Amino acid sequence: MLYGILFSHLFIACGEKTTDTSSEPSSEASTEPSSEASTEPSSEASTEPSGEDTGTGNLAVDTLAAGDLIITEIQKNPCVLGDDTDGDGNPDCTLEDELGEWVEVYNNFGEEINLKGLIVHDDGSESEMFTVSEDLIIPAQGFVVFGTNGDTATNGGYDADYVYTGGDAGFKLSNGDDEVILSNTQGVIDEVRYDNGDTFPDDKGYSLSLAPNVLDAIDNDTGTNWCNAGSPYGDGDSGSPGEENSCQ
């Protein structure tokens, strides 16, 4: 009788052990591999190649669509008033255009962008242009300033985030009417066409400033949404390069 009881206990114990080992592998096999295979590859393929710059960790400029960057300020006619050297009773400008021109751009996308590859140009028959040729990070809701001269001692006293070739050999801002256009390989991101004072402001020494309550890539097409800059910078011209605009 004792042998029978022991034998039944051994049989039950072995049965329980068999049940445990048969359930564990099936649980692992049915959940872990299928979860990894169905999520990780599809997620990586749908995000990284389409927008991420693998060299810097920031999104690439070709990710951007129309309106993701906004042209907010244009210093087309720098001056820095000095003495009246020509005797006409008015102080003269002491800063040449090709040394003091700059353009400010705002990141409306919502994430940091690497602007390497951005094309800045006009719309003339012989288009003047430059392409950003190195890493240039613009923070979300932040600004960058493109300038023709990076020397604050000779450019009117502003800090340029990226220096391009200006003057007759490069990208030049006309004092009359002209265009500033931002493009990538997908097309135009933003453009402004100022008009020699017909609707846009047109005073030397003052940057064209988009009104701070009109931060939009469509509304900045309208000249009446622009003003003469209201705050001085550097050596005495008015503007707010790299900062929120103010109007005179």
Side-chain angles (χ1 to χ4, degrees), residues 37-194:
S38 63
T39 58
E40 292 183 2
S42 61
S43 174
E44 292 173 359
S46 65
T47 57
E48 291 184 4
S50 62
E52 187 169 333
D53 183 311
T54 56
T56 65
N58 304 100
L59 295 180
V61 72
D62 283 337
T63 304
L64 303 181
D68 287 336
L69 296 176
I70 302 173
I71 299 164
T72 49
E73 199 167 2
I74 302 169
Q75 180 55 289
K76 67 184 180 69
N77 194 3
C79 178
V80 182
L81 292 174
D83 297 329
D84 176 18
T85 58
D86 57 11
D88 65 356
N90 297 309
D92 301 322
C93 292
T94 62
L95 179 62
E96 296 181 15
D97 284 2
E98 64 183 40
L99 294 178
E101 292 178 348
W102 50 267
V103 175
E104 179 192 80
V105 173
Y106 174 77
N107 180 1
N108 194 43
F109 184 71
E111 296 184 42
E112 285 189 349
I113 300 293
N114 187 348
L115 295 181
K116 183 177 181 180
L118 181 71
I119 305 164
V120 183
H121 59 105
D122 68 6
D123 198 24
S125 57
E126 295 181 2
S127 181
E128 300 170 354
M129 62 174 289
F130 68 90
T131 301
V132 177
S133 59
E134 59 190 41
D135 291 332
L136 177 63
I137 308 304
I138 180 171
Q141 287 79 51
F143 300 91
V144 295
V145 177
F146 299 108
T148 189
N149 177 11
D151 185 356
T152 57
T154 59
N155 70 3
Y158 72 92
D159 292 317
D161 297 303
Y162 183 87
V163 176
Y164 60 88
T165 300
D168 294 334
F171 180 74
K172 180 169 65 173
L173 298 169
S174 170
N175 290 341
D177 56 79
D178 208 347
E179 313 83 31
V180 180
I181 305 173
L182 310 178
S183 299
N184 59 12
T185 60
Q186 311 301 314
V188 173
I189 303 171
D190 189 27
E191 61 182 327
V192 171
R193 298 171 180 267
Y194 58 87

Side-chain angles (χ1 to χ4, degrees), residues 203-231:
D203 296 302
K204 63 184 179 182
Y206 293 86
S207 70
L208 304 180
S209 294
L210 184 64
N213 62 330
V214 187
L215 204 58
D216 185 88
I218 294 177
D219 290 338
N220 73 346
D221 297 340
T222 303
T224 53
N225 287 329
W226 293 73
C227 61
N228 281 331
S231 56

